[in-house]
Amino acid sequence: MLALWAPVGLYMALIFWASSLPSPPSPAQVGDKVQHFAAYAGLGLVTIRATAGGRIRGLTLAAVGLAWAIAAVYGVTDEWHQAYVPGRTSDIADVAADWLGAGLAAVGAGAFGIIARSRRGPDAH
């Protein structure tokens, strides 16, 4: 259980740390919304791994939906947190980018699970 959820907690801690900085590190020529999208796609993936129990068979609609919901709610709390960090602002468009990133990860993982199970048969792990 710890091996599944520790990466989620660490990833969230990394996002929290970056959100606590007045001017977080940023790759050159990458916009704020792209950074939010990518960060939350990553959070979505590690959360999907946890909700699926680390197994392809576990990539169910419920596991994917729960992972998206966890990442989406965390995105909202992250923006609320940023509202109290000097030099940072809270932006609904950032929340939308967070939700879209996590959602794309969820859809991609769900599709991967369906394809992987269909290729391996009903006993796929």
Side-chain angles (χ1 to χ4, degrees):
M1 179 74 90
L2 182 61
L4 293 173
W5 287 98
V8 176
L10 290 171
Y11 204 105
M12 287 177 167
L14 181 63
I15 289 173
F16 185 87
W17 170 77
S19 293
S20 298
L21 301 173
S23 182
S26 172
Q29 305 299 322
V30 178
D32 175 57
K33 304 308 177 255
V34 173
Q35 291 174 36
H36 276 267
F37 183 91
Y40 279 83
L43 178 59
L45 289 175
V46 297
T47 308
I48 288 164
R49 178 182 166 270
T51 60
R55 300 172 294 120
I56 291 173
R57 182 184 290 182
L59 286 169
T60 63
L61 184 57
V64 169
L66 177 59
W68 176 81
I70 290 168
V73 168
Y74 193 74
V76 171
T77 65
D78 178 51
E79 286 304 308
W80 179 72
H81 166 236
Q82 283 185 39
Y84 297 97
V85 175
R88 300 294 297 269
T89 59
S90 184
D91 184 359
I92 192 70
D94 288 346
V95 172
D98 299 343
W99 289 8
L100 287 171
L104 182 63
V107 168
F112 174 79
I114 290 168
I115 292 166
R117 283 192 303 274
S118 71
R119 290 189 177 178
R120 289 184 170 181
D123 295 330
H125 296 282

